[in-house]
Amino acid sequence: MIKDWTSGDIQKAIEQHETFALYLYTPMCGTCQVAAKMLSVVKEIRKGTAFAQTNVNYAQETVLQHQIESVPCLLLFKRGIMVKKLYAFQSVPYLNELISRHLGGNE
């Protein structure tokens, strides 16, 4: 299961220059439910990658700060800097390769 973060948790991780994948969703979004299942598989493959998620209904600061246009959305942060924003979650292999390319190999 991917841990839920608040806007405060997200800001703290950014300020501490952490590397992580942040999944943004809303509970009633059907596409978000499919994307969440895909990410849970990727999380199992990528044991060395930190994953978090947040419900955008309760994280308006994050939505505004990172100019989120729709959900589902995946933000990739490397050392506290957003390096990729993704809206199309094409497939598990695609997500795994994308995360590897932007955040580094699977330690």
Side-chain angles (χ1 to χ4, degrees):
M1 178 154 204
I2 298 175
K3 185 178 180 196
D4 286 298
W5 280 7
T6 65
S7 286
D9 296 328
I10 297 163
Q11 194 57 40
K12 181 179 176 184
I14 291 169
E15 289 169 1
Q16 293 179 347
H17 307 289
E18 293 182 20
T19 296
F20 59 98
L22 178 64
Y23 169 58
L24 297 106
Y25 70 98
T26 60
M28 300 302 292
C29 164
T31 306
C32 295
Q33 293 171 13
V34 173
K37 288 177 184 174
M38 291 168 59
L39 278 176
S40 69
V41 173
V42 174
K43 182 179 183 288
E44 289 304 311
I45 295 168
R46 303 189 57 78
K47 299 284 188 190
T49 302
F51 285 85
Q53 66 182 12
T54 191
N55 178 343
V56 297
N57 292 326
Y58 302 108
Q60 287 303 304
E61 303 86 19
T62 300
V63 169
L64 294 172
Q65 180 180 7
H66 299 290
Q67 300 175 349
I68 305 306
E69 298 170 14
S70 67
V71 291
C73 180
L74 183 66
L75 302 179
L76 302 179
F77 289 87
K78 187 165 188 165
R79 293 186 214 97
I81 298 169
M82 187 176 68
V83 294
K84 182 70 176 172
K85 184 189 305 183
L86 176 75
Y87 295 106
F89 284 52
Q90 301 175 24
S91 68
V92 169
Y94 174 78
L95 289 171
N96 188 42
E97 191 278 327
L98 184 86
I99 292 168
S100 182
R101 184 174 355 123
H102 289 283
L103 300 186
N106 189 17
E107 292 82 69

